[in-house]
Amino acid sequence: DKFNDVHVFFVDINGVGKKMHLKDEGMGLALLLKDKFVDKKVILYSSDTNRDMAHPVFKKIDGILPADAQIYQFTNILEQFAKEIKI
């Protein structure tokens, strides 16, 4: 499986998943990834501030990172998950 070495998926909300005809684009992809790879971390990454927080994806994903996040925010989330998954 080509995803064996992947521990954290960063998924943009807009524009991804279209070719797969996924409902809700990146949010649909994030749900698919979380359902298929339960032990892997899924982070939504987007500049979209008008999210539907009632969407089911927000109950399954492991975090949200704004597109304009500072490098320390990105590294903090990776360090946190590295400890949890024992990389």
Side-chain angles (χ1 to χ4, degrees):
D1 187 350
K2 60 185 170 185
F3 293 111
N4 284 339
D5 294 332
V6 176
H7 300 286
V8 180
F9 292 100
F10 287 88
V11 180
D12 194 344
I13 290 177
N14 297 316
V16 298
K18 284 183 179 182
K19 289 186 179 182
M20 297 174 68
H21 305 288
L22 293 172
K23 182 181 178 192
D24 300 325
E25 298 180 17
M27 291 192 295
L29 179 59
L31 281 173
L32 176 78
L33 290 168
K34 201 59 185 166
D35 287 343
K36 184 168 174 98
F37 305 105
V38 178
D39 295 331
K40 307 220 183 248
K41 303 297 183 182
V42 177
I43 309 299
L44 282 179
Y45 181 80
S46 183
S47 61
D48 185 355
T49 57
N50 297 318
R51 302 179 198 103
D52 176 9
M53 295 306 282
H55 192 283
V57 73
F58 294 105
K59 291 183 180 171
K60 287 195 169 192
I61 60 167
D62 301 287
I64 302 170
L65 195 61
D68 62 350
Q70 299 295 315
I71 190 68
Y72 76 89
Q73 292 172 291
F74 179 78
T75 55
N76 282 348
I77 205 164
L78 285 178
E79 288 172 359
Q80 171 194 339
F81 292 144
K83 290 175 188 172
E84 290 178 23
I85 55 181
K86 297 176 177 80
I87 296 178

